[in-house]
Amino acid sequence: MSVSTVRTRFAPSPTGMLHIGGARTALFNWLFARHHRGKFILRIEDTDAARNTQEATDIITRGLSWLGLHWDEGPEVGGSYGPYYQSQRSGIYEAYLTKLLQNGSAYHDQDGTVRFRIPRESITVYDIICGHPTFDLKEEPDITLRRKDGSFIFHFVNVVDDIEMKITHVIRGEDHLSNTPKHIALYRALGATPPAYAHIPLILNPTGSKMSKRDQGASLADYMAQGYLPEAITNYLCLLGWSPGENREIFDLDLAVERFDLQHVNHSNARFDIDKLYWINGEKMRALTPERLLRFALPILQDAGLVSENTPRERVLGALQLVREKIKLGRDLPSWCSYLLKDDFAFDPEARAKHLDNPESRKLLASLHESYSKLDDWNASALEQTLKTLAEQLGVKVGALVHPCRVALTGRTIGPSLYHLLEYLGKEESLRRFKRVLDD
RNA sequence: GACCCUAUCGUCUAGUGGUUAGGACACCGCCCUUUCACGGCGGCGGCACGGGUUCGAAUCCCGUUAGGGUCGCCA
């Protein structure tokens, strides 16, 4: 039990995207902080002012918010150790640099840059995940701290900010492990105690190398756009290198917070498996409460022009309930809901040719139309009973009635439970759609 | 090239000296079923290799191999 409060941070550079690997780093930092009832800090590493815009920062904050990873200190929320943008902290860096210059740990080189005098010794990193690798810095070139134009380099500002912001645990990608001994040397030169380190394994692309910005699926925004659920993303990301035990694969953030533990984070890199994420998304989709389902789907259906301000929410929710268990992604919603929310849907030519454009099918459909016209009790089980009875009377298989019926109602061969579909559309609309086909 | 990390089914993982090596995704069958899904049942498939240590190694040690990462006035 540590006396001091755990403080972790996610320190992304605003590059214009929130990388999926960055999202997982943020997630693990967040989980660790929450598990220990500590603080999770968001710090924007925008030292390269020219390239960084407000928009690029917004992409990060929007992404984290969407995932449900709220920060205790940082942009938008403030905090006692701000500012939380490196571009606004030059004064602090200058002061620390002066200190290094004065105690002889740093020097100006011929080009006008300031460099750190790397101690010619071995430094051991005590890492919660990777053990304690020792690095020999004998051959290591002195690192640059400040460019000749006055701007600072990552290694330096990163360390200074972690000291200033009282970060207790640095949880970051394993690609930083080799940099860590230099950071520790910097801490020592500054008279500060290094934090605890935990280098988490990398997320690899399906080919097996570090997932880069250019890789398909590297940007969180893509998943948001395709209609993945944030809880599916966080669930999947947790599974990449960590497991809650008991063979549990589907769980929420609360459970992860309760059980998260850096000691049990894997040592080896993991490949990103979109199929599994896809599966998890389906699981989460089916588990959504009606309210969440509606909130999630409404903007998608509105964008697709299927729902307007005036569409009764009951009607939308009914359609969603009908199709939600058939699909896995939000982006599939419009196509599956189209014939439920409007009647001018397109007919799949193949479906039409096979199930409607022949005398036999039309005859059967006409019979069904007649039977259903006489049905007053318009509910799924009565509809089913009626159809089955008719099939028996006509001496045909149930499918012979079902398929033309489905195509007449939806224009395609696959879709939700037919009887529930009929119930949802209502008698008047269902008969109208039959008639439309029969009169054609 | 040097240094560092890693190594269980195709993929993600459980496993911390004694298990018929468990689960999940994917894949393949069968069942359920009006379609598509869901669900159920079954199958395929793994401890990289070689040495040790031990009565006994997936588990510990060494080596080999393989993969990844880092060696910037990028972060």
Side-chain angles (χ1 to χ4, degrees):
Chain A
M1 280 291 138
S2 129
V3 246
S4 62
T5 310
V6 164
R7 291 173 62 82
T8 65
R9 48 68 167 179
F10 176 50
S13 167
T15 58
M17 70 145 72
L18 178 48
H19 192 273
I20 196 77
R24 191 187 53 156
T25 301
L27 173 62
F28 280 20
N29 274 282
W30 182 88
L31 285 172
F32 186 75
R34 290 288 170 270
H35 178 83
H36 290 282
R37 300 178 184 287
K39 302 291 185 198
F40 172 60
I41 291 122
L42 175 62
R43 179 174 77 224
I44 304 297
E45 306 222 331
D46 56 347
T47 49
D48 192 350
R51 229 172 45 190
N52 300 312
T53 61
Q54 184 58 42
E55 172 59 16
T57 298
D58 288 346
I59 286 169
I60 291 165
T61 55
R62 260 187 264 125
L64 292 179
S65 299
W66 182 75
L67 288 172
L69 307 181
H70 304 295
W71 52 99
D72 302 297
E73 297 173 25
E76 295 168 15
V77 301
S80 324
Y81 301 92
Y84 293 90
Y85 293 87
Q86 288 187 333
S87 56
Q88 297 167 19
R89 299 173 62 81
S90 325
I92 296 166
Y93 306 139
E94 289 298 346
Y96 273 79
L97 191 70
T98 301
K99 188 170 175 183
L100 289 181
L101 249 12
Q102 279 170 357
N103 71 18
S105 303
Y107 61 94
H108 287 89
D109 73 4
Q110 298 156 332
D111 303 323
T113 65
V114 178
R115 285 173 181 271
F116 176 53
R117 207 181 299 282
I118 298 269
R120 301 304 159 193
E121 59 187 25
S122 285
I123 290 183
T124 299
V125 177
Y126 290 89
D127 193 281
I128 297 171
I129 295 168
C130 301
H132 44 268
T134 297
F135 297 81
D136 186 358
L137 299 185
K138 220 164 282 150
E139 308 290 319
E140 207 64 35
D142 287 348
I143 58 172
T144 301
L145 264 24
R146 193 182 65 182
R147 303 180 184 94
K148 57 171 171 279
D149 70 3
S151 60
F152 292 94
I153 300 295
F154 160 75
H155 300 289
F156 180 61
V157 292
N158 189 264
V159 164
V160 169
D161 285 343
D162 284 344
I163 293 171
E164 280 283 306
M165 296 181 181
K166 298 190 161 45
I167 300 304
T168 59
H169 299 258
V170 168
I171 303 166
R172 61 190 0 172
E174 199 214 87
D175 48 347
H176 286 295
L177 184 58
S178 304
N179 289 149
T180 305
K182 292 175 240 172
H183 293 184
I184 289 174
L186 229 26
Y187 272 93
R188 291 181 184 167
L190 254 10
T193 309
Y197 287 99
H199 287 90
I200 64 181
L202 265 22
I203 295 180
L204 271 24
N205 60 29
T207 328
S209 51
K210 182 174 152 185
M211 178 101 74
S212 80
K213 294 183 245 312
R214 305 189 67 96
D215 279 314
Q216 187 64 240
S219 172
L220 185 72
D222 290 349
Y223 299 95
M224 296 168 75
Q226 288 177 64
Y228 279 90
L229 290 159
E231 56 265 53
I233 303 281
T234 49
N235 190 153
Y236 178 65
L237 255 21
C238 274
L239 250 21
L240 247 33
W242 181 77
S243 144
E246 300 174 328
N247 283 332
R248 266 203 74 184
E249 306 253 76
I250 301 294
F251 51 89
D252 59 21
L253 246 23
D254 288 342
L255 183 104
V257 165
E258 190 185 313
R259 302 195 185 176
F260 190 74
D261 175 11
L262 285 173
Q263 329 275 358
H264 290 101
V265 171
N266 263 185
H267 301 185
S268 50
N269 298 339
R271 290 186 197 209
F272 195 85
D273 181 8
I274 191 71
D275 285 339
K276 186 136 185 179
L277 205 208
Y278 185 66
W279 170 74
I280 290 177
N281 207 68
E283 293 286 311
K284 299 288 186 182
M285 189 81 91
R286 262 172 268 123
L288 248 30
T289 61
E291 300 73 44
R292 266 278 288 151
L293 178 62
L294 193 60
R295 188 149 33 93
F296 169 71
L298 223 36
I300 298 172
L301 296 176
Q302 278 167 345
D303 280 356
L306 290 168
V307 168
S308 72
E309 295 301 320
N310 308 323
T311 316
R313 292 306 180 250
E314 288 298 302
R315 183 148 174 261
V316 180
L317 187 57
L320 292 170
Q321 299 280 34
L322 228 37
V323 305
R324 64 126 56 127
E325 58 193 19
K326 307 289 179 180
I327 63 171
K328 292 199 167 68
L329 279 189
R331 70 160 176 217
D332 296 329
L333 243 18
S335 139
W336 280 75
C337 288
S338 64
Y339 49 80
L340 298 173
L341 296 166
K342 59 174 194 177
D343 66 351
D344 60 332
F345 53 86
F347 279 76
D348 169 32
E350 259 180 64
R352 175 163 210 143
K354 188 170 176 194
H355 298 292
L356 292 180
D357 291 345
N358 63 78
E360 181 63 13
S361 294
R362 298 179 82 89
K363 223 180 83 193
L364 290 169
L365 191 59
S367 301
L368 187 61
H369 177 258
E370 197 189 333
S371 292
Y372 276 166
S373 302
K374 294 182 214 144
L375 181 66
D376 293 320
D377 204 6
W378 198 265
N379 64 66
S381 69
L383 286 156
E384 176 169 6
Q385 199 46 248
T386 302
L387 186 142
K388 287 184 170 166
T389 303
L390 178 63
E392 210 172 315
Q393 286 169 358
L394 299 175
V396 298
K397 283 197 279 190
V398 170
L401 283 172
V402 159
H403 296 303
C405 177
R406 176 183 298 287
V407 177
L409 294 173
T410 71
R412 54 195 83 178
T413 55
I414 61 169
S417 158
L418 186 66
Y419 311 113
H420 292 90
L421 172 66
L422 282 157
E423 180 183 303
Y424 170 81
L425 289 174
K427 183 172 181 177
E428 192 187 335
E429 176 65 12
S430 299
L431 294 180
R432 210 182 60 71
R433 290 188 185 187
F434 286 154
K435 201 87 175 65
R436 178 171 64 179
V437 168
L438 291 168
D439 292 347
D440 193 19

